[in-house]
């Protein structure tokens, strides 16, 4: 065999499309969930009653009711109303509010900043308290510190948030007079609602982080890191915390969506002008275009947060990246 007869082997690497396919599948799933949420919102608000009775005075005539029903498109068959609703949704036209007499998208947009501010403040407070508490409890498993943290976690998960809010108002607003009981606009107004909304999330995140970190600290690579002479703090923070972060990131994402949904009660207690309070008002006034838009907002928030959490797995865990 001569040297000329030996042909070099050239390996052509095909681009990996697994991650792109993973993203596309998740996007398609998100669109399907939003479509199902929109359909459910459309059906439920129409099963809740006739908004015409709520909008007109009690002495309104049948002709007035028929005229208003025709103006709102409620005299059409349900399938025709559903088709108009989907067509408007594709054009980002959610209709006009029956109470505010403005485009629903504008009414929602005016309230979104307040809800996002409240949810973000509660999430930051949750992380600031829950992560150190979870690490502290995991590194002192079975000791007094661990018992104290887990007792506080159990109380946090068992206490209704609205009851916490009422107690905080009685203590800091009525008795001590150091924080406002309601309102919006300053950092002082944010404190009590954010604390109220974060209590349950602190308990959930701390408990899950403790459990995940305990499992990781008992693994082989942690023992290897200790055998190499690494300090306890570096072992926990550099090697243990990152490996325990995957389930924790999942629950943080879910909790952020839960904070947006849980803001409904908190906003009512503290008169916070957000989407939650707007939803309650829309339901009480049978403002069905506004109710539909609020439901879609909360559904979209959950879907987007879950999608971002799902996509972040490939950055946090190389095994997920390899599988994709």
């Amino acid at each position: 065999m001569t040297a000329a007869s030996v042909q070099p082997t050239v390996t052509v690497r095909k681009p990996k499309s697994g991650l792109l396919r993973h993203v596309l599948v998740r996007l398609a799933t998100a669109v399907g969930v939003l479509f199902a949420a929109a359909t459910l919102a459309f059906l439920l608000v129409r099963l809740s009653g006739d908004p015409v009775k709520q909008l007109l005075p009690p002495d309104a005539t049948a002709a007035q009711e028929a005229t208003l029903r025709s103006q709102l498109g409620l005299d059409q068959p349900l399938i025709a109303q559903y088709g108009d609703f989907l067509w408007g949704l594709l054009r980002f036209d959610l209709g006009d509010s029956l109470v505010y007499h403005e485009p629903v998208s504008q009414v929602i947009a005016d309230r979104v900043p307040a809800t996002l501010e409240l949810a973000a403040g509660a999430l930051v407070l949750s992380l600031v308290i829950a992560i150190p508490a979870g690490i502290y409890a995991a590194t002192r498993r079975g000791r007094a510190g661990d018992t104290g943290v887990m007792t506080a976690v159990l109380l946090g998960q068992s206490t209704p948030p609205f009851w916490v809010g009422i107690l905080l108002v009685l203590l800091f607003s009525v008795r001590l007079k150091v924080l406002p009981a309601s309102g919006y606009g300053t950092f002082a107004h944010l404190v009590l609602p954010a604390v109220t909304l974060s209590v349950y999330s602190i308990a959930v995140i701390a408990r899950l982080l403790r459990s995940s970190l305990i499992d990781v600290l008992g693994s082989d690579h942690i023992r290897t890191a200790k055998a190499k002479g690494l300090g306890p703090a570096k072992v926990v923070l550099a090697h243990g915390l990152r490996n325990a972060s995957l389930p924790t990131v999942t629950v943080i994402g879910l909790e952020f969506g839960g904070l947006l949904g849980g803001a409904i009660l908190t906003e009512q207690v503290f008169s916070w002008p957000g989407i939650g309070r707007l939803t309650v008002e829309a339901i009480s006034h049978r403002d069905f275009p506004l109710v539909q838009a609020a439901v879609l907002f909360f559904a979209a928030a959950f879907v987007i947060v879950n999608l971002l959490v799902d996509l972040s797995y490939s950055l946090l865990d190389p095994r997920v990246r390899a599988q994709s």
Side-chain angles (χ1 to χ4, degrees), residues 149-173:
V149 170
M150 294 310 296
T151 301
V153 163
L154 181 62
L155 289 175
Q157 286 188 284
S158 306
T159 306
F162 68 89
W163 186 72
V164 174
I166 294 174
L167 289 183
L168 292 177
V169 168
L170 291 175
L171 177 61
F172 293 99
S173 300

Side-chain angles (χ1 to χ4, degrees), residues 42 45-46 49-53 55 65-78 81 84 98 286 288-289 292:
F42 172 84
V45 296
R46 281 158 177 78
D50 188 2
V52 174
K53 300 289 187 181
L55 295 173
E65 292 183 3
T67 301
L68 181 58
R69 189 172 287 106
S70 176
Q71 292 175 353
L72 299 178
L74 299 177
D75 58 337
Q76 301 179 9
L78 188 62
Q81 296 181 41
D84 292 340
L98 305 182
R286 301 285 177 85
F288 68 90
Q292 291 172 170

Side-chain angles (χ1 to χ4, degrees), residues 188-204:
H189 291 99
L190 178 63
V191 174
L192 293 184
V195 172
T196 301
L197 197 58
S198 66
V199 169
Y200 182 80
S201 296
I202 291 173
V204 172

Side-chain angles (χ1 to χ4, degrees), residues 161-162 196-197 261-271 276-277 280:
F162 68 89
T196 301
L197 197 58
I264 294 178
L265 291 177
T266 304
E267 289 178 2
Q268 283 293 105
V269 172
F270 293 97
S271 299
R277 190 179 177 195
V280 175

Side-chain angles (χ1 to χ4, degrees), residues 48-238:
S48 62
D50 188 2
V52 174
K53 300 289 187 181
Q54 184 76 21
L55 295 173
L56 291 177
D59 58 348
T61 63
Q64 291 174 326
E65 292 183 3
T67 301
L68 181 58
R69 189 172 287 106
S70 176
Q71 292 175 353
L72 299 178
L74 299 177
D75 58 337
Q76 301 179 9
L78 188 62
I79 188 64
Q81 296 181 41
Y82 181 61
D84 292 340
F85 169 69
L86 290 182
W87 176 240
L89 193 60
L90 292 175
R91 294 181 291 112
F92 297 99
D93 181 11
L94 300 175
D96 294 335
S97 169
L98 305 182
V99 175
Y100 294 94
H101 305 291
E102 295 179 5
V104 167
S105 56
Q106 183 60 46
V107 178
I108 293 290
D110 292 340
R111 300 293 188 101
V112 166
T115 296
L116 292 181
E117 180 182 345
L118 177 57
L123 182 63
V124 170
L125 183 61
S126 300
L127 297 179
V128 168
I129 298 177
I131 292 178
I135 295 174
Y136 180 83
T139 54
R140 287 161 177 79
R141 181 183 182 185
R143 304 179 192 175
D146 182 25
T147 303
V149 170
M150 294 310 296
T151 301
V153 163
L154 181 62
L155 289 175
Q157 286 188 284
S158 306
T159 306
F162 68 89
W163 186 72
V164 174
I166 294 174
L167 289 183
L168 292 177
V169 168
L170 291 175
L171 177 61
F172 293 99
S173 300
V174 177
R175 188 174 184 84
L176 300 179
K177 301 183 185 303
V178 294
L179 290 171
S182 62
Y184 171 74
T186 66
F187 179 77
H189 291 99
L190 178 63
V191 174
L192 293 184
V195 172
T196 301
L197 197 58
S198 66
V199 169
Y200 182 80
S201 296
I202 291 173
V204 172
I205 296 172
R207 184 174 183 177
L208 181 64
L209 180 59
R210 172 190 176 274
S211 177
S212 301
L213 196 54
I214 287 176
D215 293 338
V216 171
L217 292 178
S219 59
D220 293 336
H221 76 280
I222 295 296
R223 286 192 288 267
T224 302
K226 291 179 179 179
K228 290 181 179 180
L230 297 179
K234 190 170 185 179
V235 168
V236 173
L237 298 178

